[in-house]
């Protein structure tokens, strides 16, 4: 647009305004006016703004003027929507003019509201008045009050702080502002409250008592910290913050120091009860040289006492339960850690045994405990029992067998590897030669090596056999033996006797095993002489038994009837022959080194089983001997016995007249000795009858009591009528005693037999004297 055109527009605008202000002499119709303005707008000669109803036009300058006027009327703050309704124009026209207004008037658009500097100054003045009245204010409170953003209000506050607004900003919270008077008031309240406290108090309780806000308290407290007038310290700033007075802290420190000086340790629970929230850190901070344990901290004085007790137990070959020495608040874990520290300080000395973390036992005490097992012969008995029952010998055989099996496996493995190696060498040598003179060269591919079992795995069973040990003692058995020791009552009270028994059980087993090996070696050395002695004793027994059988055979032949001889022979074989047969079988079946069978335990069935283990001529001789035992010929039995003895090497010297005479004399002395002390009527009559038979015939006879009537009938010619009558009457009374039913009669007969017993003994004893007198 040129200058001429602009002048024209200005002229027209002036005319238009003048026409509006003056009365019209000529009136244009509304249609003519609309056409004129439309023409001007189309020609870009006029810029106007239509109202919302379309019936009015205003210029932009007029709109700008109206906006400023409305802002002034609204005291510097107006909503743009409300402004658009008031001016009857579209909101877009007002929004388009806002940048120009902000630039020219310094206004701001805040949340759809137009605010000028005068309104901001007014806000600052009102905030200052409120601060002077209340003492403090927050941006949040102002946001609710003025319905404006907090950031905008914060900027207004900070921009006018110290100018219009007479206050201070909180250092910890920039959105809080105080007056100096309010700060001084809070400082005075907080200072008085803190000085009045004598024990730790939570900040919440202080706030409740002083009716202060938390932020006011902390701001005042920070000011007091700067002035060094807090008289204590805060544990935290959030949550359960607690104020600890300086007086209380000093009392705590004095109490802790005195307690440590008196006891040599500090208990964490006691410090907690004292009000120290983190006792471990407190002790580390104030007592750096203490040993920290799970429940307490220990000083060098108490450690030295424990070390002295440990050294005393080691030097005196005793034990000590440290739980009895340390204070009662110590736990087993505490004692274990102290003991660990003491052991480190005693490095290089003999290490004692420790049970249940608190009981220390010296090696010397262990040896003292083991000593009674040797002194009482317990170990000796266990060792001898292992030798007697064959368990030790069986173990040695198993070990020997295990070693031989292991050696055979190693040899087999070595031979197998050598064979495979030779086979591979042959294959490699023939691989390039093909099949003949025209065979092509061939190559052999090595098979992947397979990892074989290790020597340890293959020899596992061998090692198990070799490492096998005899268990002489069980922990329960050892504990039972130890519980009877009064010197170990304290160990039992400490509850470690069971663990101690488990510890020494392997030691006892090892000692007993060594004792068993020594005894077994001694047994092997003395075994030969003992076996020789037993051999000689057995030979003497067998020689006496056979001599007795031969002499008895002669006595039996004196009886006139064959039936009597047969019955007497069977009786003698059962009594004497059985002992001969059992002794020969026991010796013969143990000739291979096995343990001999007790002859007294051998029965007919056992002899049959023992025969199955014997071969050759000895088997035939023993079988014949066994058979003749149930025959009716002493001569055949003696012959079979001598044959078996010759094969077993037990046949001694042949008997002669002198031996026979000595044997008969000893037998008579034996019978007279037994007769003199015997009190049973039946046995007295049996012994008297055998004595009279030997005295009358000069031969011995060893038969059971049922043959007494037969022997008395045989002796009748050799005795006087009076003697026969005495013996016959005594025998009749004995027979009557066996068949009587009345207790009174039985008692009467026993009395008569007892009264007549000396007469029977005298008859047998004096019969020899009568013979000697006749001779």
């Amino acid at each position: 647009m040129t200058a001429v055109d602009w002048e024209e527009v200005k002229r027209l605008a002036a005319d238009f305004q003048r026409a509006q202000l003056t009365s019209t002499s000529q009136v244009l119709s509304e249609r003519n006016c609309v056409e004129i303005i439309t023409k001007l707008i189309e020609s870009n000669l006029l810029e106007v703004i239509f109202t919302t109803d379309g019936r009015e036009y205003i210029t932009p300058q007029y709109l700008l003027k109206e906006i400023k006027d409305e802002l002034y009327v609204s005291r510097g703050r107006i909503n743009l929507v409300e402004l658009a309704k008031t001016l009857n124009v579209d909101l877009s026209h007002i929004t388009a003019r806002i940048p120009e207004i902000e630039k020219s008037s310094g206004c701001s658009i805040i949340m759809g509201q137009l605010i000028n500097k005068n309104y901001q100054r007014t806000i600052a003045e009102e905030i200052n008045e409120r601060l002077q009245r209340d003492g403090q204010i927050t941006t949040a409170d102002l946001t609710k009050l003025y319905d404006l953003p907090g950031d905008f209000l914060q900027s207004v506050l900070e921009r006018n702080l110290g100018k219009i607004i007479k206050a201070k900003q909180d250092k910890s919270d920039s959105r809080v502002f105080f007056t100096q008077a309010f700060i001084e008031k809070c400082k005075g309240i907080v200072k008085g409250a803190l000085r009045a406290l004598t024990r730790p108090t939570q900040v919440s309780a202080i706030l409740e008592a002083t009716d202060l806000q938390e932020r006011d308290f902390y701001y005042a407290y920070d000011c007091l910290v700067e002035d060094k007038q807090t008289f204590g310290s805060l544990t935290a700033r959030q949550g359960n913050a607690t104020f600890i007075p300086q007086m209380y802290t000093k009392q705590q420190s004095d109490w802790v120091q005195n307690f440590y000086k008196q006891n040599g340790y500090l208990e964490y629970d006691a410090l907690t009860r004292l009000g120290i929230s983190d006792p471990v850190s407190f002790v580390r901070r104030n007592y750096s040289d203490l040993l920290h344990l799970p429940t307490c901290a220990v000083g060098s004085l108490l450690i030295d006492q424990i070390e002295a007790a440990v050294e005393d137990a080691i030097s005196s070959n005793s034990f000590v339960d440290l739980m009895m020495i340390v204070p009662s608040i110590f736990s087993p874990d505490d004692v274990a850690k102290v003991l660990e520290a003491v052991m480190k300080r005693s490095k290089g000395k003999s290490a004692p045994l420790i049970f249940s973390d608190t009981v220390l036992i010296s090696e010397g005490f262990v040896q003292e405990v083991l000593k009674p097992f040797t002194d009482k012969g317990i170990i000796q008995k266990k060792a001898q029992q292992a030798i007697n029952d064959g368990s030790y010998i069986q173990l040695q055989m198993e070990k020997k067998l295990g070693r031989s099996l292991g050696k055979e496996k190693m040899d087999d493995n070595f031979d197998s590897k050598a064979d495979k190696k030779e086979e591979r060498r042959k294959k490699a040598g023939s691989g390039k030669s093909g099949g003949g003179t025209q065979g092509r060269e061939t190559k052999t591919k090595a098979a992947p090596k397979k990892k074989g079992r290790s020597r340890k795995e293959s020899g596992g069973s061998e090692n198990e056999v070799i490492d096998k040990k005899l268990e002489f003692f069980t922990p329960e058995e050892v504990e039972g033996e130890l519980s009877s020791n009064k010197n170990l009552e304290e160990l039992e009270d400490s509850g470690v006797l069971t663990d101690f028994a488990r510890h020494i059980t392997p030691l006892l087993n090892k000692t007993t095993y060594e004792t068993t090996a020594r005894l077994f070696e001694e047994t092997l050395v003395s075994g030969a002489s003992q076996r020789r002695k037993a051999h000689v004793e057995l030979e003497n027994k067998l020689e006496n038994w056979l001599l007795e059988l031969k002499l008895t055979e002669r006595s039996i032949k004196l009886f006139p009837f064959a039936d009597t001889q047969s019955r007497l022979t069977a009786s003698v074989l059962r009594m004497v022959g059985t002992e001969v047969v059992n002794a020969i079988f026991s010796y013969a079946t143990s000739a291979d080194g096995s343990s001999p069978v007790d002859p007294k335990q051998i029965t007919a069935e056992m002899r049959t089983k023992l025969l199955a283990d014997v071969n050759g001529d000895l088997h035939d001789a023993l079988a014949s001997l066994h058979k003749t035992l149930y025959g009716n010929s002493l001569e055949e039995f003696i012959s079979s016995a001598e044959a078996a003895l010759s094969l077993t090497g037990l046949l001694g010297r042949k008997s002669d007249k002198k031996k026979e005479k000595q044997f008969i004399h000893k037998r008579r002395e034996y019978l007279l000795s037994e007769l003199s002390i015997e009190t049973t009527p039946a046995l007295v009559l049996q012994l008297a009858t055998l004595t009279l038979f030997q005295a009358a015939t000069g031969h011995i006879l060893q038969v059971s009591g049922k043959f007494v009537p037969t022997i008395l009938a045989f002796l009748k010619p050799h005795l006087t009528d009076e003697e026969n009558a005495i013996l016959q009457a005594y025998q009749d009374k004995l027979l009557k005693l066996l068949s009587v039913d009345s207790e009174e009669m039985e008692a009467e007969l026993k009395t008569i037999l007892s009264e007549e017993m000396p007469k029977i003994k005298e008859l047998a004893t004096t019969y020899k004297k009568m013979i000697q007198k006749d001779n």
Side-chain angles (χ1 to χ4, degrees), residues 351-524:
L353 304 174
I354 299 174
F355 295 93
S356 299
D357 297 330
T358 62
V359 179
L360 182 141
I361 300 177
S362 64
E363 286 293 340
F365 182 77
V366 174
Q367 299 303 320
E368 291 293 330
V369 172
L370 294 177
K371 190 176 180 181
F373 285 88
T374 303
D375 296 343
K376 293 181 180 179
I378 300 176
I379 292 178
Q380 189 82 7
K381 291 178 182 177
K382 292 279 187 180
Q384 193 62 50
Q385 182 181 355
I387 295 175
N388 294 340
D389 60 19
S391 56
Y392 177 77
I393 299 173
Q394 182 181 358
L395 177 63
Q396 301 307 314
M397 294 299 293
E398 289 177 357
K399 286 185 176 182
K400 185 176 181 181
L401 180 61
R403 292 191 185 97
S404 62
L405 288 175
K407 185 176 181 181
E408 290 177 3
K409 287 183 179 180
M410 292 175 61
D411 294 340
D412 292 343
N413 292 337
F414 180 79
D415 294 340
S416 176
K417 290 179 180 179
D419 294 342
K420 290 180 180 179
K421 185 175 180 180
E422 182 65 22
E423 184 178 353
R424 288 197 300 270
R425 185 185 65 78
K426 290 180 179 180
K427 287 183 179 180
S430 61
K432 295 184 178 181
S433 61
T437 56
Q438 296 181 352
R440 63 181 180 178
E441 181 178 346
T442 61
K443 294 182 179 180
T444 58
K445 183 178 181 182
K449 295 182 179 180
K450 295 182 180 179
K451 294 183 178 180
R453 293 186 303 169
S454 65
R455 180 178 180 183
K456 181 178 180 180
E457 293 175 352
S458 63
S461 60
E462 172 196 349
N463 293 334
E464 289 176 2
V465 173
I466 294 175
D467 296 338
K468 183 179 179 183
K469 296 291 185 181
L470 289 176
E471 186 178 3
F472 299 96
F473 293 91
T474 61
E476 293 76 14
E477 183 181 0
V478 175
E479 184 179 358
E481 186 68 26
L482 296 179
S483 61
S484 62
N485 191 339
K486 294 183 178 180
N487 296 329
L488 302 179
E489 289 181 354
E490 293 184 14
L491 275 184
E492 190 170 4
D493 295 339
S494 302
V496 299
L497 188 63
T498 301
D499 294 337
F500 182 65
R502 289 197 191 101
H503 174 78
I504 67 172
T505 298
L507 301 177
L508 285 171
N509 284 330
K510 181 181 178 182
T511 304
T512 308
Y513 184 83
E514 294 171 352
T515 303
T516 305
R518 176 176 54 79
L519 290 177
F520 184 71
E521 291 297 329
E522 294 176 356
T523 302
L524 291 179

Side-chain angles (χ1 to χ4, degrees), residues 42 173 231 252 317 328 362 375 460 544 578 582 598 605 688:
E42 291 176 352
D173 188 355
F231 312 105
Q252 271 187 340
N317 294 333
S328 59
S362 64
D375 296 343
N544 290 333
T578 301
N582 289 345
D598 186 2
E605 291 78 6

Side-chain angles (χ1 to χ4, degrees), residues 120-130 146 164-165:
Q120 295 180 23
R121 183 180 180 86
T122 301
I123 290 176
E125 291 174 353
E126 292 178 356
I127 291 173
N128 185 58
E129 291 177 1
R130 184 177 291 273
Y146 291 103
I164 298 175
I165 301 174

Side-chain angles (χ1 to χ4, degrees), residues 497-630:
L497 188 63
T498 301
D499 294 337
F500 182 65
R502 289 197 191 101
H503 174 78
I504 67 172
T505 298
L507 301 177
L508 285 171
N509 284 330
K510 181 181 178 182
T511 304
T512 308
Y513 184 83
E514 294 171 352
T515 303
T516 305
R518 176 176 54 79
L519 290 177
F520 184 71
E521 291 297 329
E522 294 176 356
T523 302
L524 291 179
V525 172
S526 61
S529 60
Q530 292 179 354
R531 285 194 297 272
R532 178 60 184 170
K533 182 179 180 182
H535 182 84
V536 172
E537 291 178 355
L538 182 58
E539 280 186 338
N540 293 333
K541 285 183 179 180
L542 289 170
E543 183 180 356
N544 290 333
W545 283 332
L546 291 177
L547 180 57
E548 182 178 357
L549 290 174
K550 291 177 181 180
L551 295 176
T552 302
E553 181 187 13
R554 298 175 189 172
S555 301
I556 292 174
K557 289 180 179 181
L558 297 177
F559 289 85
F561 302 106
D563 180 61
T564 303
Q565 293 180 3
S566 177
R567 288 189 295 110
L568 289 172
T569 300
S571 177
V572 172
L573 287 175
R574 281 195 304 271
M575 294 176 64
V576 183
T578 301
E579 294 186 1
V580 174
V581 172
N582 289 345
I584 295 175
F585 267 74
S586 176
Y587 184 84
T589 53
S590 64
D592 56 352
S594 60
S595 299
V597 183
D598 186 2
K600 296 180 180 179
Q601 305 295 329
I602 296 178
T603 61
E605 291 78 6
M606 290 181 64
R607 284 195 293 270
T608 303
K609 293 180 181 179
L610 293 173
L611 279 173
D613 299 332
V614 183
N615 300 318
D617 296 339
L618 182 58
H619 176 274
D620 298 338
L622 293 177
S624 175
L625 178 61
H626 177 67
K627 182 179 180 180
T628 57
L629 179 61
Y630 300 98

Side-chain angles (χ1 to χ4, degrees), residues 13-244:
D15 291 342
F16 180 71
Q17 186 176 11
R18 188 167 51 252
Q20 288 179 333
L21 295 175
T22 60
S23 60
T24 60
S25 58
Q26 296 179 352
V27 178
L28 294 175
S29 65
E30 184 176 350
R31 183 176 180 179
N32 291 337
C33 292
V34 171
E35 289 178 353
I36 292 170
I37 293 175
T38 303
K39 185 64 175 178
L40 290 173
I41 293 173
E42 291 176 352
S43 301
N44 292 326
L45 297 177
L46 181 65
E47 182 181 1
V48 294
I49 297 171
F50 290 92
T51 58
T52 54
D53 56 6
R55 298 178 65 181
E56 296 180 355
Y57 306 97
I58 60 174
T59 62
Q61 291 78 11
Y62 184 78
L63 177 61
L64 187 62
K65 177 180 176 299
E66 288 293 320
I67 291 173
K68 291 180 180 180
D69 291 344
E70 289 294 329
L71 182 61
Y72 178 79
V73 172
S74 301
R75 298 180 61 189
R77 174 182 177 183
I78 190 170
N79 190 293
L80 295 181
V81 176
E82 296 293 331
L83 181 61
K85 289 181 181 180
T86 302
L87 298 180
N88 196 23
V89 295
D90 190 77
L91 181 62
S92 61
H93 297 301
I94 295 176
T95 305
R97 298 297 180 270
I98 292 302
E100 186 177 351
I101 294 174
E102 289 180 341
K103 186 177 180 180
S104 62
S105 302
C107 298
S108 303
I109 295 296
I110 306 297
M111 293 179 63
Q113 300 179 72
L114 185 61
I115 298 175
N116 61 12
K117 290 184 179 179
N118 290 332
Y119 183 77
Q120 295 180 23
R121 183 180 180 86
T122 301
I123 290 176
E125 291 174 353
E126 292 178 356
I127 291 173
N128 185 58
E129 291 177 1
R130 184 177 291 273
L131 266 171
Q132 300 306 319
R133 184 182 71 243
D134 298 338
Q136 65 170 338
I137 199 168
T138 64
T139 304
D141 296 336
L142 296 176
T143 300
K144 295 178 182 179
L145 179 64
Y146 291 103
D147 192 22
L148 288 173
D151 294 339
F152 172 74
L153 293 173
Q154 183 75 15
S155 65
V156 172
L157 285 166
E158 291 177 352
R159 191 165 54 247
N160 294 282
L161 191 65
K163 300 175 183 177
I164 298 175
I165 301 174
K166 306 299 182 181
K168 289 185 178 182
Q169 191 175 16
D170 192 349
K171 295 179 182 179
S172 60
D173 188 355
S174 61
R175 303 176 76 84
V176 179
F177 297 87
F178 304 100
T179 62
Q180 185 62 36
F182 181 81
I183 294 173
E184 293 298 330
K185 174 185 174 182
C186 292
K187 284 173 61 177
I189 294 173
V190 172
K191 182 178 179 180
L194 297 183
R195 291 192 66 175
L197 296 176
T198 58
R199 59 184 178 84
T201 306
Q202 289 189 346
V203 173
S204 59
I206 299 175
L207 296 178
E208 185 178 355
T210 57
D211 199 21
L212 291 175
Q213 297 293 325
E214 185 176 0
R215 63 172 177 269
D216 300 340
F217 172 82
Y218 284 120
Y219 187 84
Y221 180 81
D222 291 339
C223 294
L224 291 175
V225 170
E226 293 177 359
D227 297 340
K228 297 181 180 180
Q229 296 180 352
T230 55
F231 312 105
S233 60
L234 284 176
T235 58
R237 286 279 180 161
Q238 295 178 351
N240 295 326
T242 303
F243 177 77
I244 302 175

